[in-house]
Amino acid sequence: MSGNSGSNQMWGGRFAAGPSAIMREINASIPFDKALWRQDIAASKAHVDMLATQGIVAEDDARLIAGGLDQVAAEYEANGVPENWDLEDIHMTTESRLAELIGPAAGRLHTARSRNDQVATDFRLWVRDAIDQVDSGLLALQTALVTRAGEHAASIMPGFTHLQTAQPVTLGHHLMAYYEMIARDRSRFADARARMNRSPLGAAALAGTGFPIDRFRTAQALGFDGPTDNSLDSVSDRDFALDYLMAAAQCSLHLSRLAEEFIIWASQPFGFVTLPDSLSTGSSIMPQKKNPDAAELVRGHSGRIVGCLTALMITMKGLPLAYSKDMQDDKPPVFEAASLLALSIAAMAGMVAEAKFRTDRMRGAAELGYATATDLADWLVRQANIPFREAHHITGSAVKLAESRGIALDQLPLEDLKAIDARIDERVYAALSVEASVAARSSHGGTAPAEVRKRVAQAREALGIEE
């Protein structure tokens, strides 16, 4: 076998050209970083404006460059970003097209900057935009939760621990628990946005530049609070991307928990909810099936989003200062997580808004789950002065009797209750209904309908929702 044949066989298939073909493909980021084109154009326009203001680039050249960048942006908007792997990335792709349009003046655009600070700036701008978009989606989800909670402030359902009936709560109270989770998610994204809102532009390759640039001007033009303060950190920092992914991962866990609730509630044994047709599918073989596919995919997407966070954390864990090519792999996990999170938020907002809650089934489950057993024990302690452990035993006997007859606790005749313990009298019935149980939980943050309505009103005010 000849040496050439052996070489070709070694590289094989699409890499028949040898190592150079592999390097060309592994080095090119344009297939994914083309998503940064809007941010790349905006940062370039801010940069060239500053160069002209500082007298580093002639005004005529700056105007020519700015006009050319607008033309490139219009082409990208209309036709998408071309993928020429020889140009490697969005920065070189844009600069190459700019040179075709305006000639040698395009080369002045890259004065006093590097692709290192350029991509760090573009990526920050993209993540900042992604945070604004996710916040808008989470606001819509909160609005749906608050609206439905207001409708069901007094709708009784079982409250669970260990997925076993524990005490009665209201559906409105249950939905407002997710409102609180999403509020924390929004605060995490807001914190991440505030922390990352500094501009790396002007840090150049790693050490800054000798040109008399004004980094405060470009930071202000791009909506940053100011420039970053260390050039080495500026080009190598990806904490902002990790902050975003950590907030996204936590948010996806909340969405997954909510999705799981709907999956369980929609199952026939529960029958608590009928999901909207638009977010469900049928079975190819079983005509009676209505599958909660959207909720299941939200549950599945959470695993992928957590995986995106893990991927970037591992990529960054051992990198020395400053920039390393490993960091080219920072964008795919962020882009993937952002796409999955947006879909998940939209799906759950639609599900909450359009689901039909079967409150009769919920109430029946609360009664037959003997959710007021704790109320009976509490009544025995308060009214009959019975030690709690003894009251607990008496209550267990009452539950066993009601269960054997298939009735709720408050449907047991008084004589049967007195046969269990003579100290029980007719006053007990005021504590045994599920309505009485939830009404009694009126402590701050409790499930009493009045307390739920108060919290819904506060949430409406906070979100700017009119009655």
Side-chain angles (χ1 to χ4, degrees):
M1 181 181 291
S2 69
N4 286 341
S5 296
S7 177
N8 287 343
Q9 186 177 13
M10 181 183 295
W11 299 115
R14 55 202 267 235
F15 298 125
S20 61
I22 295 177
M23 186 60 198
R24 176 176 177 271
E25 182 163 344
I26 199 172
N27 197 47
S29 59
I30 188 62
F32 53 84
D33 71 16
K34 63 184 180 182
L36 300 174
W37 73 262
R38 289 182 176 84
Q39 291 76 22
D40 197 62
I41 295 287
S44 291
K45 290 184 69 174
H47 183 66
V48 76
D49 174 76
M50 178 275 295
L51 292 177
T53 301
Q54 295 298 106
I56 300 169
V57 169
E59 290 282 355
D60 289 346
D61 283 342
R63 279 194 294 270
L64 190 62
I65 291 169
L69 288 170
D70 286 338
Q71 187 172 341
V72 174
E75 291 177 0
Y76 290 170
E77 189 72 63
N79 306 313
V81 179
E83 291 187 25
N84 181 345
W85 287 10
D86 289 329
L87 294 172
E88 296 183 14
D89 55 35
I90 184 60
H91 321 300
M92 297 303 294
T93 298
T94 297
E95 188 172 328
S96 175
R97 180 56 181 152
L98 183 64
E100 291 174 354
L101 292 172
I102 69 171
R108 299 189 184 280
L109 172 60
H110 208 54
T111 306
R113 76 176 184 185
S114 161
R115 280 191 291 177
N116 292 356
D117 64 333
Q118 193 176 355
V119 70
T121 303
D122 293 354
F123 198 17
R124 280 189 191 233
L125 290 171
W126 193 96
V127 171
R128 193 177 70 184
D129 289 343
I131 289 174
D132 293 342
Q133 290 164 14
V134 79
D135 187 71
S136 177
L138 290 175
L139 173 60
L141 175 54
Q142 281 188 304
T143 300
L145 287 165
V146 168
T147 300
R148 300 311 301 273
E151 295 170 10
H152 294 285
S155 298
I156 293 171
M157 65 173 290
F160 299 99
T161 60
H162 309 278
L163 205 56
Q164 303 292 311
T165 299
Q167 293 177 316
V169 297
T170 70
L171 175 56
H173 191 55
H174 195 114
L175 293 173
M176 286 302 291
Y178 284 95
Y179 167 86
E180 296 293 340
M181 294 183 209
I182 301 305
R184 292 194 296 274
D185 290 327
R186 291 184 69 191
S187 73
R188 272 184 282 270
F189 281 114
D191 288 347
R193 192 189 194 285
R195 192 160 40 248
M196 56 80 65
N197 203 35
R198 295 276 174 177
S199 173
L201 193 58
L206 76 162
T209 178
F211 289 96
I213 61 172
D214 185 349
R215 294 188 62 208
F216 289 88
R217 182 181 180 87
T218 50
Q220 183 179 28
L222 294 170
F224 288 113
D225 296 329
T228 52
D229 294 329
N230 183 284
S231 60
L232 285 168
D233 181 56
S234 299
V235 298
S236 61
D237 168 43
R238 292 298 182 271
D239 286 2
F240 64 91
L242 288 168
D243 277 353
Y244 171 81
L245 287 174
M246 282 187 264
Q250 181 67 73
C251 181
S252 76
L253 299 184
H254 291 152
L255 297 173
S256 181
R257 294 182 72 179
L258 180 58
E260 174 72 356
E261 302 263 28
F262 275 93
I263 292 164
I264 293 172
W265 292 355
S267 65
Q268 281 79 5
F270 274 77
F272 286 2
V273 68
T274 300
L275 299 181
D277 290 345
S278 59
L279 292 168
S280 306
T281 66
S283 167
S284 63
I285 190 172
M286 295 168 283
Q288 83 282 8
K289 295 286 293 299
K290 184 176 181 181
N291 299 326
D293 283 14
E296 290 171 350
L297 287 167
V298 169
R299 189 174 59 185
H301 287 352
S302 66
R304 291 173 64 186
I305 293 170
V306 171
C308 291
L309 168 61
T310 303
L312 186 54
M313 290 178 75
I314 299 302
T315 295
M316 297 301 299
K317 73 174 182 61
L319 298 185
L321 294 176
Y323 182 84
S324 297
K325 197 68 170 181
D326 313 46
M327 292 165 65
Q328 183 166 287
D329 283 339
D330 58 358
K331 288 168 282 297
V334 173
F335 293 165
E336 180 182 4
S339 177
L340 292 172
L341 186 63
L343 276 172
S344 297
I345 293 170
M348 294 317 300
M351 203 166 297
V352 171
E354 298 177 26
K356 295 179 181 177
F357 294 107
R358 299 180 60 186
T359 53
D360 57 331
R361 293 272 300 189
M362 291 181 172
R363 190 186 190 285
E367 289 181 330
L368 290 182
Y370 309 105
T372 58
T374 303
D375 298 273
L376 173 56
D378 289 348
W379 184 90
L380 290 167
V381 171
R382 287 195 305 266
Q383 302 299 326
N385 197 29
I386 298 173
F388 183 81
R389 288 302 174 195
E390 185 181 352
H392 188 280
H393 178 75
I394 295 168
T395 300
S397 299
V399 168
K400 185 176 181 180
L401 178 61
E403 193 172 32
S404 69
R405 297 181 183 178
I407 59 176
L409 277 173
D410 65 344
Q411 294 174 325
L412 284 172
L414 180 60
E415 57 268 24
D416 288 340
L417 289 170
K418 291 181 76 67
I420 295 171
D421 193 284
R423 291 167 288 187
I424 299 176
D425 60 46
E426 65 278 354
R427 293 175 299 166
V428 75
Y429 290 106
L432 287 186
S433 72
V434 288
E435 286 83 5
S437 178
V438 296
R441 266 66 183 189
S442 58
S443 57
H444 178 80
T447 193
E451 185 66 21
V452 174
R453 291 189 182 98
K454 182 192 301 182
R455 185 69 193 105
V456 166
Q458 292 170 344
R460 283 181 175 276
E461 183 177 358
L463 299 177
I465 304 172
E466 296 183 2
E467 292 286 347

